[in-house]
Every structure is written in structure tokens, then in C-alpha cells.
Amino acid sequence: MYDPMVEAFNQKWLLDDSVVVATPHKPDYSAHSKEKVGGGLYSRSLAPSAEHRTKWSDIELMIECKVHDTQDDPFEDDTTKAGAPEPLSNQRRDVLGQIMGYVRLIFDYQQRTHVFALVLFGRMARITRWDRSGIIVTKKFNYVQEPAKLARFLWRFARMSPVQRGHDITATRVSEDSDAYGLMLKRAKHPYVKDGVVVDEHARHMFAKSLDKNSPWWRLRVDDKDGEHYFLVGVPNFNASGLAGRGTQGFVAINESDPYGPLVYLKDAWRVAHDRTLQEGLILEHLNSNSNGGRVTGVPTLLYHGDVDGQVTETQNAWRRGHPDSASECRLKTHRHYRLVVKEVGKPITEFVNAKSLVMCIGMCIKAHSEAYNRKGYLHRDVSVGNILIYPTQRRNSQGATEEIEQALLTDWELAKSVQDVRHEGPRQPDRTGTWQFMSASALRDTNKRIIVQDDMESFFHVLLYLAIRYLPHNCPNVGDFISKFFDGYEEVAGVYYGGHYKFGAVSDARLRAIPLTDPLRFYIKRPSDSQLVPHSGSTDTHEARDPTSRSLGDDGEEDSDDSERANVHPINGLLAAFLERIRAHYVLHVPGALQTTTTDEETPTATVPDDAPVDPSDEYGMRMLEGDEGGDGATANHAAPSRDPIFEEANRRRLEKLADELADQKAIVKLFAEHLRKTTWPTRTHPERVDDQLYPKYRREHDEREVLDMYRKRARGEDNDQEEHDEGGQVEEERPKKQMRSM
């Protein structure tokens, strides 16, 4: 199949200084997915060797070959058919998913504004163009009967400029013989010393890890209001999944203007260009300013930011040109390339050492959320695992010795909205905003819901639960099943996606179950002999797991007592229960359709707060950072179990109103965190609790296949979501099922 194609295409008059190479059998050395494409057009100097191995970092035009004229056609020209231009048959949809995966790899390995791909199936062909807004695809044509069409495209493509082919010319590769290459290796090897003290070792390790010698390193330009700035980066430490959307990448970077100074963090994204959507840097600039009571603690420090000149998506314009008489508005978004640099390099929150440090970090971010909302007038609207970072830093203690402390950063403010907009205006963008796994259950059930403080507070709860279920010991036998149903669950009604009933039921009734069991979910303190209490679990696999709630033999050969088991129950249960009580109160009073049943203390752990417990000295600074002027000495929040009286009896209503009011007040939630940390005995830092990830490494959400096939479809119907996918790289981005294509 491939030899005739290579022979026909590789004519000097046709391809000039380019060459087509067939690579159907061997993947790129650096591609962890081991994916290999049928062939591609390369510059002659960068073409694969005689080994004919795919080179994702150098391919100019992707070429995929299939056998059948119809069964392997990834698109549908007949617009009268349901779902067109998406095909209906599974085989054709699989071909589309495969091509999307290849295009994604080109975006991953290169700095691209758009990508062209040629698809040959039987005697038919299609030419496609992909950017962050969508796909432009030709109608299929018979290249055997009409060879001029294919030849004309190849001739023109071979003579296109790098910009026309889709290369970002503000990004240049760092060659191995350059001074920049040597500088990068040196910075990765040698610690950064400030005032005689080694600092920011976590950033250096992250930078060193990014220097993959099988992948390109880059010199990126950032256009700030003060001029051009250049940064040296390796591979991204975070790379958002999906094709359409912001395509966020994050890099630990060297600032060329301060080559031996501190490493910084560079964010590269295709932001939504909307009249009322601010650049993230402008929001950070306000949060960092001294206005309205001073800078907000716990948010990144802006250094530089700006749009990349002239780099804007084109698919939305193609749609408008193809529908000049359409009465409906184009729902494809215009995305503009944007870069931002901040001072702090944070670690993923998934690297927490124990539950107490996890809770403290999340509490600090709630405090940052409070300051941003109450003093600067911004609501974050995208609280997620990837947007909460641990920021290790150094300070001198009272004895003059240097010690490392952990602060926390609430990052990714690009979806933030001014409080005035939240209160008085409809949504700026015609969609839901946030990260699917961590959005409030009510927002997932109502596509038109206006996001408010209570939604973001609920998102913090989901972040805490998500990290606990993956990295702390508990009695849930199948973590994959829990993640699939609670966090990734969805329902589709008439082509519209809604959140699953597990999350909505749990928060509206204050019950967490150890799915698939019906037992209440409980977390346990890790004992020294427990490396991992629950084995890796997939979304559908069943594994034999030891339930920490079951009776077991102690060191003396006797059964552990119930008292011993209760002593092993983790204090995080109380915090989760108290947090969930406030969420439930909000749902019962203010969310239509919420379950109005009463939870008994036999079914859900009660949220009681014991007497003061000693604080680990290593945590004292973090506690002061968390409490600040919020303090832990104010009025004690109500932690009693829910009343068994009917919901709408006056006393119970007053109690519910008090709890619901606390959910709307970030300071009350910070105080709740501080009380549980101050008044409960938590394992210390000398007792690491974090177990190996209990989510099966090859876990796939049950709707992943649909998501691949539906990536753009929702945009065509005007039901777009602008959401981000959970990932532990520092920033996250999810493309929920949505697909947009246009036939030419």
C-alpha cells in the first residue's frame, strides 16, 4: 500500500525539498504511546532514516492510509444524516479517533498554530486542517480519477512558508551545539544558591526532568507591554489533553535576561478571545497589586504576559464564510495564542506528604479565594486538582536556621469573573465553565447555571475527596469505580451532557458510599506496616482487597479490637463530614431537585471536633498562614450531626440556614479547616501517609471512547463547554464531548 504512494509522491517537480516517508511499523522513540502513522511529508534534512521510524517532532504533513473507500472514511458528506459530518459506523468513528490521536501528537511535539493532514482511503482522499477551534475538512474526492486535486495540494504545500504550514515562528528549537543548550544542562545539574543557601531544588528537579534528549527543546518569545522576553524550556511538565480548546502547556523555564537567576514558570495557552474575557495576566496584575488592602496571598506573582502577535484560530472564520446566510450565530470560539510567566514554580498537590499538609494547602487556597473575591472582586470558577499547587520555600526560623516551609498557590485565573459580572450579568460564554470532575453537582445538572461562591467551595470539597480517595487508606474496594461514578459520571439527554446522579445524590444527602459497596466511605490512618491498603483498581475490574474495617489479627495473633479500629479512623473523616453538611444544607434550601432526606449518624461519620491537640512545630507556620486574620478562636461552627426532625420544622430550618450561610462565606470554611486542624490529633510529617496511587494506572473513563468521537460535535450544535481536564501536572484542561467540523 505504501510503496506506490511513496513512489508517486516523491517527484522533484512535485515536492521540491520535501520528501514523503512511509512509517507504518515503527513508532517514535520518544512517544510513550508507541503510536505510528502510515507516513508523512518531511523536510529532506529531517526525514526519518532508513529505519523509517515516525518522527512526531519533525513531520510536516501527516498522511494516513486506509484500504476501503467507504468503511474507512472518517467523515460524512451527507448532511441529512444524523451527526454529520461525524460518521455513524463504529469502524469509521475508530478511524476518526485514530487520526485525531495522530494530530494531537504533532501538536504535543511541535510548537504549532495548526496542522494539515491528508487521509487516503481506498481510491478516495480528504484534506483536513486542524486548529484549537475545530476542523476544516474537504469533501472526499477520487484521487485516481482526479489526480490533479491531490497533486495541486501537495505542490502548494511543499512550497508553503513555515507560518502557512502551521509553525509558530516565535518558538525556535535549541540546537545541541548552541550556548543555550549548554546553559540548560548546567542549570539542570547545579543548584541555585541565594544568600549562601540552596533554594528551589524542587524547581531544578522539575527542569532537569523536562530535558528529554529525544524531544525538542525550545526558545520561546513572550511579548509583554515592555517588549520581547525569551525563555528556554524543555518538554512541558503539563500538557492538556484534547485538540479543541485552550491546549494549555506549562514549562519550568530559564529567563534569558537572568540566566543564572531563579527558574520561573511559563504557561502557553490558546485563550478564548471574547470582548468581556480578560487576559489571565491582567487578573493576576490586579490580585498582585496593593489596591483594596494589598496583594492577595496564595496566588502566583506575574512577571510577563501577552498575546502572541497574529496567532488566532481560523476554523470559526471558515464556518462563517461557509454559512453567509445562516441566521444562527457561529458557536465556534475564537482562540488567541497567549503566554504568561509567573515567578513561582509549584509542585502538584498530588505530591502531598500526609493528610494534614493536604488539608492545610487546600485551606490556604480557600483563603486566597476569599481574598480575591472579597477584596479584589474576582470569583475563580475553576477550582480543580491541577489548579492547587504546593509551593516549597525557605525562611529563617527564630534560631536563625534556614528551614523549608510549604505554602500553597491557587493558580489558573483565566476563567475568573468579576464579582459584579457574576451578580448582575448572564454568562460571558454560552457554556458551562470549570473542570468536569470538580464542578459542583448543581452546575453539572444545569447547563445555564451562574457560578457562585458556593459552587467554588463545593469544588474544593471535591478536590479534597478526590485526592483522599486516590492517595489515603480507606475502605473503598474499587477506586476506579468510585472515580468513574462520582467524578467522571455523566448522563446524556437529547445530546446534552449532565453530571451523574452519584455526585448529586451524595452532596444533596450528605452520604459518601464506598462504591460499589453500600458501606459509608471511611478513611484510615496509615500504619507503618501498610504500604498500600487498597490495590490498584480499574473502572470495571474487580480485585480482592483488604477492607480496613474488617477485623484482622494483630501482632499477638489475636483479633484487633473494635477500639483499635476506631483509633485508626482518620480525622479527615470529620472534616469531610462537616464540609459536606454545609453543602447539603445549601442544596436542601436552594437547589431544585435536591434530596430532602435526613442522614443519620449511623450512616455518615459525625463531624465532631475534639479538644485542642498539640500542633507539630513544622506545621505551625502553615497554620499561621492559614488562619491569619481568620483565626481559630472565633465562634465555633456547628458540627453536630443533622437533626432527625422533619427538614422544614423551624429549628431545623434555622440550623440549615446557618450551615448554608457558612458555605457562602469562605472565611467560615477557612475557620472550619483551622478548627479541625487545631483541635484534632493528625499524623505528623514524620508519619508519611500518602500511599501509592490507588487508581489503576490504565484507568480509562467509561465515556473516553465517546469523548474522542464527540470532541467537536457539541460546538456544531451550540452546546459547547469550556472545561479543563484533571491532570496532576500543575494546570488542567478538559475537553468534554464536543466536536466541530466543516465540509468544504
Side-chain angles (χ1 to χ4, degrees):
M1 181 195 319
Y2 298 100
D3 290 343
M5 175 193 73
V6 171
E7 182 178 356
F9 288 174
N10 283 333
Q11 307 294 323
K12 179 65 175 177
W13 68 267
L14 182 63
L15 298 185
D16 196 25
D17 290 329
S18 299
V19 62
V20 169
V21 180
T23 57
H25 305 301
K26 295 183 178 180
D28 193 318
Y29 282 117
S30 62
H32 299 297
S33 63
K34 304 301 181 185
E35 290 183 87
K36 47 196 179 294
V37 69
L41 183 144
Y42 297 82
S43 297
R44 288 186 183 274
S45 61
L46 298 174
S49 64
E51 194 178 20
H52 287 193
R53 187 179 294 275
T54 301
K55 293 177 67 177
W56 294 114
S57 59
D58 295 314
I59 195 168
E60 294 286 332
L61 171 69
M62 188 202 87
I63 304 174
E64 179 61 5
C65 301
K66 296 295 181 183
V67 175
H68 301 289
D69 290 4
T70 302
Q71 297 98 309
D72 291 328
D73 184 359
F75 301 102
E76 176 58 63
D77 286 334
D78 187 351
T79 57
T80 63
K81 291 187 177 180
E86 176 191 327
L88 292 178
S89 76
N90 289 334
Q91 179 175 334
R92 295 173 65 187
R93 290 156 69 95
D94 287 344
V95 174
L96 175 58
Q98 182 183 28
I99 293 169
M100 292 170 70
Y102 295 157
V103 173
R104 162 68 196 276
L105 284 170
I106 298 175
F107 274 109
D108 286 351
Y109 279 83
Q110 303 182 32
Q111 297 293 325
R112 287 285 200 147
T113 60
H114 57 273
V115 170
F116 285 95
L118 173 63
V119 186
L120 306 175
F121 45 102
R123 297 180 299 173
M124 311 302 289
R126 291 184 187 272
I127 301 165
T128 63
R129 181 192 182 278
W130 308 67
D131 64 20
R132 295 299 182 180
S133 183
I135 314 168
I136 303 171
V137 55
T138 66
K139 294 183 180 296
K140 66 180 179 181
F141 60 93
N142 189 317
Y143 62 86
V144 176
Q145 296 177 359
E146 300 179 280
K149 286 185 177 181
L150 186 55
R152 188 182 303 117
F153 168 73
L154 292 171
W155 188 92
R156 289 175 175 174
F157 187 89
R159 289 155 180 81
M160 282 181 174
S161 69
V163 172
Q164 291 171 323
R165 290 187 180 187
H167 290 283
D168 174 8
I169 59 172
T170 68
T172 55
R173 297 197 188 195
V174 176
S175 61
E176 293 186 19
D177 60 352
S178 67
D179 292 340
Y181 193 89
L183 172 64
M184 295 172 78
L185 291 176
K186 185 181 297 185
R187 289 304 312 270
K189 183 178 180 180
H190 299 291
Y192 172 58
V193 179
K194 181 179 181 181
D195 298 329
V197 177
V198 174
V199 297
D200 296 341
E201 277 292 87
H202 72 286
R204 181 176 69 86
H205 292 312
M206 292 171 67
F207 183 71
K209 188 177 180 180
S210 75
L211 300 186
D212 180 356
K213 293 188 177 181
N214 290 319
S215 299
W217 303 354
W218 300 93
R219 181 176 186 254
L220 302 180
R221 190 183 84 199
V222 177
D223 298 323
D224 186 73
K225 60 185 178 181
D226 299 325
E228 297 177 355
H229 305 270
Y230 291 90
F231 299 86
L232 301 175
V233 303
V235 299
N237 80 299
F238 169 74
N239 198 2
S241 65
L243 287 172
R246 293 187 294 279
T248 305
Q249 292 183 320
F251 303 87
V252 181
I254 295 173
N255 185 348
E256 275 197 354
S257 65
D258 188 12
Y260 293 98
L263 296 168
V264 297
Y265 198 81
L266 187 152
K267 177 179 175 180
D268 183 292
W270 287 79
R271 69 181 187 89
V272 176
H274 191 281
D275 291 342
R276 286 177 290 160
T277 301
L278 290 177
Q279 295 174 332
E280 182 179 4
L282 294 178
I283 296 174
L284 285 180
E285 193 172 55
H286 191 193
L287 298 181
N288 293 162
S289 72
N290 291 322
S291 64
N292 301 100
R295 69 165 292 154
V296 173
T297 59
V299 301
T301 304
L302 175 69
L303 296 177
Y304 313 103
H305 79 108
D307 290 327
V308 180
D309 186 39
Q311 295 187 8
V312 184
T313 54
E314 174 61 27
T315 304
Q316 72 283 348
N317 295 328
W319 188 94
R320 295 186 184 100
R321 289 193 298 268
H323 301 77
D325 300 322
S326 176
S328 60
E329 180 184 357
C330 176
R331 304 302 290 270
L332 284 172
K333 292 180 181 175
T334 300
H335 290 265
R336 188 179 297 276
H337 200 182
Y338 177 74
R339 291 192 178 118
L340 172 143
V341 182
V342 296
K343 173 184 175 182
E344 296 85 0
V345 178
K347 298 194 304 183
I349 187 64
T350 52
E351 295 184 17
F352 70 91
V353 176
N354 62 11
K356 186 170 187 178
S357 64
L358 169 64
V359 170
M360 288 175 65
C361 284
I362 293 177
M364 290 180 194
C365 287
I366 296 175
K367 182 180 179 182
H369 188 283
S370 174
E371 292 182 10
Y373 183 83
N374 292 299
R375 292 202 285 106
K376 303 292 187 175
Y378 286 102
L379 181 65
H380 190 281
R381 304 199 312 151
D382 187 24
V383 173
S384 68
V385 164
N387 294 342
I388 297 176
L389 303 181
I390 300 170
Y391 179 49
T393 187
Q394 292 74 31
R395 75 177 187 105
R396 294 193 183 277
N397 60 25
S398 56
Q399 287 75 41
T402 301
E403 61 182 9
E404 183 171 276
I405 58 174
E406 282 187 353
Q407 299 183 43
L409 295 172
L410 182 59
T411 66
D412 285 355
W413 290 82
E414 62 188 287
L415 297 183
K417 195 172 183 179
S418 75
V419 174
Q420 194 167 22
D421 283 347
V422 170
R423 290 172 178 166
H424 302 296
E425 296 184 8
R428 286 173 296 181
Q429 302 169 16
D431 50 48
R432 290 176 291 201
T433 299
T435 302
W436 186 273
Q437 289 76 14
F438 309 106
M439 289 172 66
S440 70
S442 59
L444 291 176
R445 305 283 283 194
D446 181 358
T447 59
N448 297 313
K449 186 182 189 305
R450 179 170 54 89
I451 302 301
I452 56 177
V453 169
Q454 292 91 325
D455 295 298
D456 274 6
M457 293 302 101
E458 184 182 331
S459 292
F460 279 113
F461 171 84
H462 295 316
V463 167
L464 180 59
L465 177 61
Y466 179 87
L467 292 167
I469 199 71
R470 287 185 66 171
Y471 298 106
L472 294 178
H474 49 69
N475 66 332
C476 181
N478 193 318
V479 173
D481 203 28
F482 187 95
I483 295 289
S484 177
K485 289 181 169 61
F486 190 97
F487 292 100
D488 293 326
Y490 76 103
E491 298 170 358
E492 182 181 0
V493 180
V496 179
Y497 291 87
Y498 300 94
H501 67 275
Y502 278 93
K503 178 187 281 189
F504 189 82
V507 300
S508 58
D509 198 31
R511 303 185 191 203
L512 294 175
R513 299 296 189 188
I515 299 170
L517 305 179
T518 58
D519 298 340
L521 176 65
R522 286 190 174 90
F523 295 90
Y524 293 84
I525 296 174
K526 177 184 174 183
R527 296 172 292 190
S529 60
D530 296 331
S531 60
Q532 185 171 323
L533 295 182
V534 183
H536 289 305
S537 305
S539 59
T540 56
D541 297 338
T542 57
H543 297 270
E544 194 172 307
R546 177 167 66 82
D547 183 351
T549 63
S550 64
R551 300 175 69 84
S552 58
L553 295 179
D555 294 336
D556 57 359
E558 299 294 326
E559 277 193 335
D560 290 338
S561 67
D562 289 341
D563 289 341
S564 174
E565 179 185 310
R566 282 194 292 271
N568 200 40
V569 172
H570 203 291
I572 200 172
N573 292 298
L575 175 60
L576 287 169
F579 206 162
L580 194 54
E581 284 180 313
R582 285 148 180 80
I583 297 171
R584 175 181 179 267
H586 169 70
Y587 273 68
V588 168
L589 295 176
H590 304 297
V591 178
L595 299 176
Q596 296 180 353
T597 58
T598 301
T599 304
T600 66
D601 52 356
E602 290 82 13
E603 294 170 326
T604 301
T606 56
T608 56
V609 179
D611 295 333
D612 285 3
V615 176
D616 183 357
S618 63
D619 291 326
E620 186 60 44
Y621 180 82
M623 286 299 301
R624 292 202 304 270
M625 287 288 293
L626 172 61
E627 292 174 331
D629 58 2
E630 325 290 346
D633 55 355
T636 301
N638 187 340
H639 300 295
S643 168
R644 298 185 185 180
D645 295 333
I647 292 259
F648 291 108
E649 287 188 1
E650 187 60 30
N652 200 33
R653 171 173 280 280
R654 287 196 301 269
R655 176 182 172 278
L656 289 171
E657 288 173 346
K658 181 178 183 298
L659 291 174
D661 288 345
E662 290 181 8
L663 187 68
D665 180 3
Q666 302 101 320
K667 292 183 179 180
I669 301 300
V670 170
K671 184 176 291 186
L672 177 69
F673 273 55
E675 286 177 345
H676 276 265
L677 288 169
R678 285 280 187 192
K679 298 179 180 243
T680 311
T681 302
W682 294 68
T684 65
R685 290 181 183 273
T686 59
H687 185 101
E689 296 182 275
R690 184 185 181 281
V691 299
D692 294 337
D693 191 355
Q694 297 164 107
L695 182 63
Y696 185 61
K698 295 184 179 180
Y699 165 75
R700 287 177 63 84
R701 290 170 301 201
E702 62 184 35
H703 57 273
D704 270 1
E705 294 303 322
R706 293 200 62 126
E707 198 166 285
V708 168
L709 298 172
D710 293 345
M711 182 175 290
Y712 299 98
R713 186 185 67 193
K714 294 198 74 184
R715 289 189 172 186
R717 299 209 316 255
E719 299 160 0
D720 186 22
N721 299 321
D722 193 3
Q723 299 158 4
E724 305 219 345
E725 179 165 29
H726 63 289
D727 187 284
E728 283 74 49
Q731 302 177 30
V732 295
E733 183 156 336
E734 177 182 22
E735 296 305 329
R736 285 293 301 173
K738 52 187 177 184
K739 178 172 294 183
Q740 175 61 45
M741 313 166 199
R742 176 183 177 265
S743 294
M744 291 177 58

